[in-house]
Amino acid sequence: MPNDRLKATMASGGWTYAELAAQAGVDAKSVERWANLNRTPRLRAARLAADALGEDLFALWPSLRQPRTTRAVSPELVALYEQRADVPVSMFVNLLDRATRQVDVLVYAAVFLHEAYPRLNELLRERSAQGCTIRIAIGNPDSDAVGQRGGEEKFGHGIESRCRIARMHYRPLVGIPGIEIRMHGTTLYNSLYRADDQLLVNSHLWGMNAFSAPVWHLRRAPGGSLFDNYVSSFEAVWSTAEPVEAT
């Protein structure tokens, strides 16, 4: 099938194959194939030819129009919250309460959980008694990373104090089978709250407290990689963390 639009444009301007070929930097046989066999030229040659003809590039060769880039939403994304303060504590608690295999928590302190739900330690004991492996990584109050975060958030020594409070909250769990508490000194890019195949990610913003930063709720799904990437991040931090002692 010929390219009727190209042939008509060439005819109206009196263009020969050789003349248009010279303008487009190709041979005359190529232009003949464009016109009679509806072949699509390379983009550079098409632009030169269209400019010479005074015609719209995509009117002559619609197939050169690039499809609009679409943003794929991850199949693992369940919900996105503008800030952690929008997420009810009951959501954190319910996720942990339904866990049967694995609970992983990576934070600096997150004392809001114990403050809003005083039964948290009891819940974690119950989960471990049912065979759930529980790993909690909290910030080392003496680490450079924790001190720097306090300065960035203009919180002074507040974060260090909260890390110490978190250690106090979790210390009664030390030594319970299936539960391990560690302290880490890494830069906290995200706070992670994992319960089996679900994950709440509190993404941190420089200079802002965690409660003002967004949270996305992920659920592991075929074809997704976000969940596993965050799990790998947790494992990397966990491997550097030191156990919290019972005393």
Side-chain angles (χ1 to χ4, degrees), residues 52 70 72 120 198 200 221 236:
T70 58
L120 182 63
Q198 297 198 63
L200 294 175

Side-chain angles (χ1 to χ4, degrees), residues 175-186:
I176 295 177
I179 299 180
E180 190 172 359
I181 314 297
R182 293 187 184 182
M183 290 189 303
H184 70 95
T186 64

Side-chain angles (χ1 to χ4, degrees), residues 31-235:
V31 176
E32 185 177 355
R33 287 192 287 269
W34 298 351
N36 295 323
L37 300 178
N38 202 13
R39 297 286 176 82
T40 301
R42 294 182 181 275
L43 183 58
R44 182 178 181 277
R47 282 180 177 148
L48 292 172
D51 288 345
L53 295 170
E55 181 60 277
D56 179 74
L57 167 68
F58 302 116
L60 294 173
W61 295 287
S63 61
L64 288 174
R65 190 182 300 277
Q66 296 296 316
R68 290 184 179 179
T69 300
T70 58
R71 294 185 180 273
V73 177
S74 169
E76 299 180 301
L77 182 62
V78 177
L80 173 61
Y81 302 87
E82 290 188 9
Q83 53 186 10
R84 196 192 71 198
D86 295 333
V87 184
V89 174
S90 60
M91 176 176 290
F92 291 89
V93 173
N94 289 339
L95 281 180
L96 298 177
D97 189 46
R98 290 196 297 267
T100 60
R101 304 187 316 276
Q102 187 77 44
V103 167
D104 291 329
V105 175
L106 172 62
V107 295
Y108 272 162
V111 294
F112 74 93
L113 286 176
H114 278 98
E115 291 171 348
Y117 189 72
R119 283 195 68 255
L120 182 63
N121 281 5
E122 186 177 343
L123 183 155
L124 295 175
R125 286 192 190 98
E126 292 169 355
R127 292 296 86 223
S128 67
Q130 295 297 318
C132 189
T133 299
I134 296 169
R135 299 182 295 178
I136 311 290
I138 58 177
N140 185 336
D142 299 317
S143 67
D144 292 338
V146 168
Q148 182 174 338
R149 179 62 61 86
E152 292 168 354
E153 295 183 8
K154 298 180 174 57
F155 207 48
H157 297 291
I159 294 181
E160 298 166 32
S161 298
R162 282 166 117 33
C163 288
R164 290 189 172 91
I165 293 171
R167 183 171 57 188
M168 178 188 70
H169 281 312
Y170 286 113
R171 184 164 272 154
L173 299 177
V174 174
I176 295 177
I179 299 180
E180 190 172 359
I181 314 297
R182 293 187 184 182
M183 290 189 303
H184 70 95
T186 64
T187 302
L188 192 66
Y189 300 112
N190 305 280
S191 294
L192 305 177
Y193 307 84
R194 177 194 177 184
D196 292 341
D197 291 332
Q198 297 198 63
L199 181 67
L200 294 175
V201 180
N202 186 189
S203 178
H204 294 293
L205 300 175
W206 193 94
M208 297 179 65
N209 193 278
F211 65 76
S212 299
V215 170
W216 40 88
H217 179 186
L218 303 178
R219 181 182 288 114
R220 179 182 266 150
S225 61
L226 275 176
F227 186 96
D228 288 336
N229 285 340
Y230 281 114
V231 168
S232 296
S233 177
F234 176 90
E235 296 293 348

